[in-house]
Each structure stands twice: as structure tokens, then as C-alpha cells.
Amino acid sequence: MNREDFPIFKQDLIYFDNGATTMKPQCVIDSMTDYYSNYTANAHRGDYDNSMKVDVLYEGVRGKVRKLIDAKDASEVVFTKGTTESLNLVVFGFMKNELKEGDEVLLTKSEHASNLLPWMELEKEIGIVIKYIPLTEDNEVTIPNVLSTITDRTKVISLAQVTNVIGDVRPMKEIGEICSQRGIYFVVDGAQSVPHRKVSVQEMNADFLAFSGHKMLGPTGVGVLWGKKELLERTKPLCYGGGMNTSFESTGDFELKEVPTKFDAGTPAIAEVIGLGRAIDYLEEIGLDKIESYEQELKNYLLARLKEVPKIQIYNEKTASSIVAFNIEGVFSQDTAVYLNHYHICVRAGNHCAKILKEQLGVKNTCRISLYLYNTKEEIDELIRVLKDAEHIFDIVL
Amino acid sequence: MDSNLRREIILDNYQHPLHKGLVEEEGYQKIRTNNSSCIDDLMIMVKVEEGKIKDIRFDGEACAISTSATSIMIRNFIGKTYEEAKALLESYEAMIDEKPYDKELLGELNVYDEIYKQPNRKKCALLPFRAIHQILEDKSLFNK
Ligand SMILES: Cc1ncc(COP(=O)(O)O)c(C=O)c1O
């Protein structure tokens, strides 16, 4: 779908690692070049034309994000470097002041490192207690398992809507409801969901949502933390400096600007924010529903064809996203990836930053294929052709 | 080295590595070798006794290069004194780094003499040897 919009595909390249990052359409690249070539200026600073234009465009992207994730107000959209920084801002800017020793935070073993390590650090700093919601045999989160892990001390549930290793889609709406009934904060890692499907923070009853621009056709170096206004008002910035204060005195008194500008200390990633805005437009021009159903069709095709290949083990056949994790029997995942690379096929080998999932899956490392809108059935055919030939794998990799 | 022979030795050591599986026994130094830029993760245990490397064992998940290199390392370092192990290690690392090295001394370890052609896999070939490095750091182990 829309493959011709992506200049990188002029190369001989089959890119199946979209969970890691995504390719950029020409319009996103152009929007950033346009800023650098034609109207470079800082944001929030000047009274001249280019600066005012930058201001309007930069702030305008908050509105695009608001619409994309169905938030109430554009002022609830904070720009960060990406999902990782967004989650750190939730944990150290908000939770650190709200939680007390013994308060429980529920996670799962298939979370990304960026939804685990900040909590583990907070556990060391203030003595919160991390608990893992048990996963089913298929590594999924179920409502009964959520309910049975909740206690009187549960204050937070923090989950990826779609996980990056096995791509299971969590029942967020139901979990959000449980949280709001019990006064539990609900933090959503949207890194693998926002790029691929319609997401509504209101429908999910989320309190915070984090995602990254580079995984949704946008540039690196920019991401979003959305939070409910009253929670963002109670969130302390992690970074202090110019642009975020209204006044300050040599006595040390200063006053912060309102949400979201209080999180914009220093010059933000202006070109990247503008590029993210263009990526959102692009995704919406196609339609996220359409993207989701196209990916689904591709995934079903991929699964059906993978089964033709002898000695392939698939780990997540039942999951609903467009991520497929597999291994070739007797071959270490990295060797498979090196082999596929020989044919310009990019897949990811490893534990995908979910290092503790091995306790659950029983295998530490898999090859991961994560699809996106520009992938095609022809690319899958080529993958299958190469995999069927895998008895020669060591002639290639050694 | 003939490339078919090279591949055969590597593959054989990958598929049937020597001394895979750790033991619960006193007297071993345990070294975990993993690499932030790579997913290989091996636990290696080395026993030094009477001035020589008496035994080496390992376990873990790693690629064909790392696993075979571990197996071949084990084959070639058991029985070595401090000086012998040091010379062998230095020669091996020089080979991987494309520096002059003692080809004769390396014997079977020469199977990785072309790994420089795949620069991103050098680290795989070097990974298990960190265990030897660590053992050699404490010369007193060899004086007991
Ligand atoms: C589920 C999930 N959460 C968080 C992240 C971290 O995103 P970033 O590296 O853009 O901060 C990723 C990226 O791989 C992810 O897949």
C-alpha cells in the first residue's frame, strides 16, 4: 500500500522490522526540509514572521495528536523524545510524588524495558512494589488475571496496548474501566498500537498514553506523552530551563508556565514535531482502519505461507497484531537474521528489549517480523522462498 | 584454510559443542559473557589447578559463531599454563583484529581467520574469550 511514497524502497530492500522503527514517506521528509530550508526559527520566541509561523505549526501538531488519539484537549499533549522519555516522565515526574512505600504497580513480563526499568528504579528509590499480572499460556493478559492481581494497595496498572515481542493486543477498554472504578492510575504504552490502529484515550479510560514518532512514519527524536489535564498539572517537569517559566528571580523563586508548555524547557525538536504532524496527516489520509485491516490481511497471508516452510516454529499465531515471532528449528535467531540479511530482508533477532519474557516464553530469542502498510505479499513470497532454502543457511552465514 | 573444511569444523562445534552444561562443583570461576550490541549470552566456568587450566564448561544461548568459538576455545585452552594461555589468547585476538599472529600456534582456532570479512561478527568470535581474559587477570590462580 502506498509503497511509491517511500523513497527508501528505490533500493532493493524488504523491511520487516517495523516494530523497531519505520520508513519515512517523502512528504514527511519534505516537511522537515521545508522548515530547515525556508522558515527556520525558534518556537515561542520571536515577533517576526518565520518565528510566528513556527509557533503556529509547532502548536498545531498538538491539535493533530489530540484528534489522532481522541483526547479532549490539545493542551494535554506533551512532546518528548519518544515513548521512553514519556514513560520516564510519568514515573519520575508524576508517580514519584504520588506513590508511597508499599503501593503496588502492576506490569507484565512482556513489557518493553522502557515500561519496566523506570518502575524498577522507582521501586529502589521509594519502595513501591512491582507485581506482574500472570499471562496465559498464549502470553495474553486476561481480565480475571488482572482482577486477581489487584489488591487494596494497587495504585497503578501500566501496560503496552500491543506488545512488541509477541504482538498481543490487550483488552484496554475493560482494564481502563476496572482502573477508573477503583481509583487506579492507568498508564498505556502505545508505541506499538498508535501507529497501527485507531486509539482512543477516552474509550480506554487511560490516564497517560506514551508513543513514539519514529514508529509511525515520523522522525526520530520526537514522541508524545498524553495525560489527563489535572494529572499533567500535578506532574513535575524533569527538565528545567528557558521557555517553560513565566518569571524568575535571583532569590530562586520561579513560576512555571501552564501545561503543556511547562514541559518544553529549552529549544524543542521543532523540525521533528513538524515532521510528526505531517506523518499523522499522512496516516489519517489513508485511514488507520484501512491500515489495520491491510496489515491483518498481510499477516494472515504470512502465517499461511510460513506454515509451508519445514522446521519453522511460530510463537504467537493467535495474537491479533501484525507481529510474528518465529525460529527455524536448530538455528539461533541471530543466524537466521544474518542469513535473511544476505537477501536484503530485514528482521529482528533477539529478545526485543523484553528481557524477562524468557521466563515466560521459554525461549530467550526469536526472529520477529513486524509488518506495516508498505509491506506486500510479494515481499512475503520472497521471504518464504529464502526460508525454504534455509538448509543452506550455514553456507551463507559462516 | 579450505572454506568447506572451515565451515565443517565450525558447524560441528556449533551443533555438538564440547562441555556444554555447567556443573555444581567447587573450584570454578564463573564468568558471564554477554554483549550489549549482541544477543549472545553465555555462562562460562573455568577451573585452574596446579598451574594449568584444568577444565572449562559453558551454557547459554548464542549464535553459531559464538557457540562454536566457545567449543573450540575449550578444546584448545584446557591444559594450558598461564604463559601458554596468554600467548594463545594474544595470537587469537591479533588474528581477529587482522594483525600479525602466530598461525601455527593457533591450530584449529584458525577457522576464524576470515571473520574480519564480516566485521559485525568479530564480537561473536571474541565473546567467549573474555572468560580467558578474566582468568588471566588473576595470575595467583595459577600459583596455587
Ligand atoms: C512496546 C514498546 N514500548 C516502548 C518502546 C520504546 O520506544 P522508544 O525507543 O521510541 O522510546 C518500544 C520500542 O521498541 C516498544 O516497542
Side-chain angles (χ1 to χ4, degrees):
Chain A
M1 194 188 253
N2 295 50
R3 201 174 163 81
E4 60 290 351
D5 296 343
F6 294 78
I8 202 163
F9 293 125
K10 291 187 192 117
Q11 297 171 26
D12 175 15
L13 181 72
I14 297 185
Y15 187 77
F16 284 146
D17 193 16
N18 294 290
T21 196
T22 57
M23 306 297 104
K24 316 308 169 198
Q26 191 64 50
C27 62
V28 167
I29 300 166
D30 288 346
S31 72
M32 295 171 69
T33 309
D34 190 30
Y35 164 76
Y36 285 128
S37 311
N38 299 318
Y39 61 93
T40 305
N42 213 319
H44 310 148
R45 301 286 156 87
D47 292 314
Y48 43 93
D49 288 350
N50 283 348
S51 173
M52 287 185 283
K53 177 170 179 182
V54 165
D55 232 16
V56 170
L57 286 172
Y58 178 88
E59 289 302 321
V61 177
R62 297 196 209 266
K64 294 180 192 221
V65 172
R66 183 208 67 74
K67 186 159 156 282
L68 178 75
I69 59 173
D70 185 32
K72 277 200 185 127
D73 199 290
S75 68
E76 297 177 325
V77 173
V78 178
F79 295 123
T80 64
K81 278 197 310 200
T83 310
T84 303
E85 187 178 273
S86 299
L87 291 169
N88 274 273
L89 182 53
V90 172
V91 173
F92 298 107
F94 182 77
M95 297 297 176
K96 190 172 171 177
N97 313 313
E98 300 284 324
L99 302 184
K100 288 190 282 300
E101 191 177 337
D103 285 348
E104 292 170 1
V105 174
L106 308 191
L107 308 169
T108 73
K109 287 189 177 170
S110 45
E111 298 313 306
H112 189 275
S114 62
N115 189 27
L116 288 167
L117 295 191
W119 298 109
M120 290 177 177
E121 177 60 23
L122 192 67
E123 186 171 44
K124 283 189 206 150
E125 287 185 19
I126 66 168
I128 57 153
V129 176
I130 295 173
K131 289 196 165 174
Y132 296 101
I133 300 166
L135 302 175
T136 63
E137 221 168 83
D138 294 323
N139 300 298
E140 298 193 326
V141 172
T142 60
I143 298 303
N145 283 355
V146 172
L147 287 173
S148 67
T149 318
I150 291 176
T151 72
D152 309 344
R153 305 231 49 181
T154 304
K155 292 285 157 37
V156 184
I157 298 183
S158 184
L159 296 178
Q161 183 171 10
V162 175
T163 65
N164 60 312
V165 189
I166 43 178
D168 55 314
V169 182
R170 271 79 180 264
M172 300 312 258
K173 192 165 173 252
E174 293 79 356
I175 298 173
E177 229 170 82
I178 292 169
C179 288
S180 71
Q181 283 160 6
R182 290 170 173 73
I184 296 171
Y185 294 117
F186 187 32
V187 182
V188 179
D189 172 352
Q192 300 293 349
S193 59
V194 174
H196 299 274
R197 53 182 56 230
K198 268 201 173 139
V199 170
S200 162
V201 291
Q202 298 192 65
E203 206 180 288
M204 283 195 291
N205 259 307
D207 290 304
F208 292 101
L209 172 73
F211 57 97
S212 300
H214 70 97
K215 293 186 200 281
M216 51 191 286
L217 313 181
T220 55
V222 64
V224 168
L225 174 65
W226 166 86
K228 280 188 182 149
K229 187 81 174 265
E230 68 272 21
L231 304 183
L232 288 177
E233 277 163 359
R234 273 151 55 199
T235 303
K236 272 181 80 164
L238 300 181
C239 200
Y240 291 79
M244 50 105 70
N245 55 76
T246 51
S247 64
F248 57 94
E249 312 287 334
S250 57
T251 55
D253 291 331
F254 63 90
E255 220 169 284
L256 295 182
K257 285 190 181 162
E258 306 262 293
V259 166
T261 313
K262 74 170 182 181
F263 298 106
D264 270 348
T267 300
I270 299 170
E272 287 78 1
V273 167
I274 289 169
L276 172 64
R278 189 64 191 90
I280 292 172
D281 289 343
Y282 181 84
L283 288 169
E284 295 209 304
E285 281 156 22
I286 299 172
L288 278 144
D289 284 339
K290 213 166 141 193
I291 291 170
E292 188 186 352
S293 64
Y294 177 70
E295 282 180 24
Q296 212 49 51
E297 182 188 324
L298 274 184
K299 170 171 182 206
N300 291 337
Y301 184 72
L302 172 61
L303 284 176
R305 294 236 46 205
L306 270 179
K307 285 182 198 155
E308 294 170 16
V309 184
K311 296 193 183 171
I312 291 270
Q313 173 154 27
I314 302 170
Y315 295 99
N316 63 340
E317 212 173 306
K318 292 188 198 153
T319 55
S321 73
S322 52
I323 294 175
V324 174
F326 72 97
N327 271 326
I328 305 176
E329 206 183 296
V331 182
F332 188 60
S333 61
Q334 192 176 27
D335 291 322
T336 307
V338 170
Y339 169 67
L340 292 175
N341 175 54
H342 188 77
Y343 299 93
H344 310 288
I345 301 174
C346 313
V347 303
R348 186 73 173 277
N351 47 44
H352 319 299
C353 295
K355 290 184 192 284
I356 57 179
L357 187 66
K358 62 175 187 276
E359 297 168 16
Q360 176 80 24
L361 264 184
V363 285
K364 267 197 223 165
N365 295 297
T366 62
C367 285
R368 179 186 70 183
I369 291 176
S370 44
L371 301 166
Y372 211 4
L373 58 110
Y374 38 65
N375 289 126
T376 63
K377 288 189 179 165
E378 289 71 31
E379 290 177 314
I380 292 172
D381 291 339
E382 172 65 4
L383 169 81
I384 300 300
R385 187 189 70 73
V386 171
L387 284 176
K388 280 185 174 169
D389 214 26
E391 53 188 284
H392 306 298
I393 190 165
F394 290 109
D395 297 347
I396 303 280
V397 302
L398 293 180
Chain B
M1 190 181 275
D2 168 62
S3 66
N4 281 328
L5 179 62
R6 177 189 291 122
R7 195 175 296 137
E8 212 170 286
I9 294 174
I10 295 178
L11 205 51
D12 189 45
N13 277 282
Y14 172 51
Q15 288 169 340
H16 311 286
L18 193 68
H19 289 193
K20 182 160 188 205
L22 304 179
V23 291
E24 294 290 326
E25 230 180 86
E26 296 279 291
Y28 282 87
Q29 312 287 316
K30 274 195 174 180
I31 301 125
R32 182 161 179 195
T33 60
N34 56 13
N35 192 323
S36 58
S37 62
C38 163
I39 57 179
D40 297 331
D41 190 356
L42 296 172
M43 180 65 88
I44 297 178
M45 54 198 292
V46 187
K47 185 181 207 168
V48 180
E49 213 173 73
E50 292 166 352
K52 285 183 180 168
I53 296 177
K54 182 83 190 296
D55 190 26
I56 312 175
R57 309 197 58 90
F58 84 103
D59 211 351
E61 265 195 60
C63 68
I65 304 275
S66 288
T67 307
S68 60
T70 310
S71 173
I72 297 174
M73 174 187 87
I74 292 173
R75 233 180 261 288
N76 286 276
F77 278 79
I78 290 180
K80 296 285 186 284
T81 62
Y82 178 86
E83 281 74 22
E84 287 166 345
K86 191 160 184 285
L88 196 54
L89 179 67
E90 279 169 3
S91 209
Y92 181 77
E93 289 179 340
M95 174 183 79
I96 303 287
D97 262 350
E98 295 174 78
K99 295 191 183 118
Y101 67 99
D102 187 341
K103 200 169 173 64
E104 211 158 306
L105 183 70
L106 283 186
E108 203 182 21
L109 287 163
N110 280 303
V111 292
Y112 301 108
D113 63 356
E114 286 196 354
I115 205 87
Y116 67 86
K117 291 184 182 167
Q118 306 183 64
N120 59 338
R121 309 215 76 188
K122 280 186 184 180
K123 60 181 188 292
C124 306
L126 287 171
L127 188 71
F129 290 84
R130 288 202 202 157
I132 304 295
H133 256 288
Q134 193 157 327
I135 292 298
L136 293 180
E137 261 167 37
D138 185 4
K139 200 172 176 186
S140 72
L141 283 173
F142 289 81
N143 297 331
K144 282 175 199 157

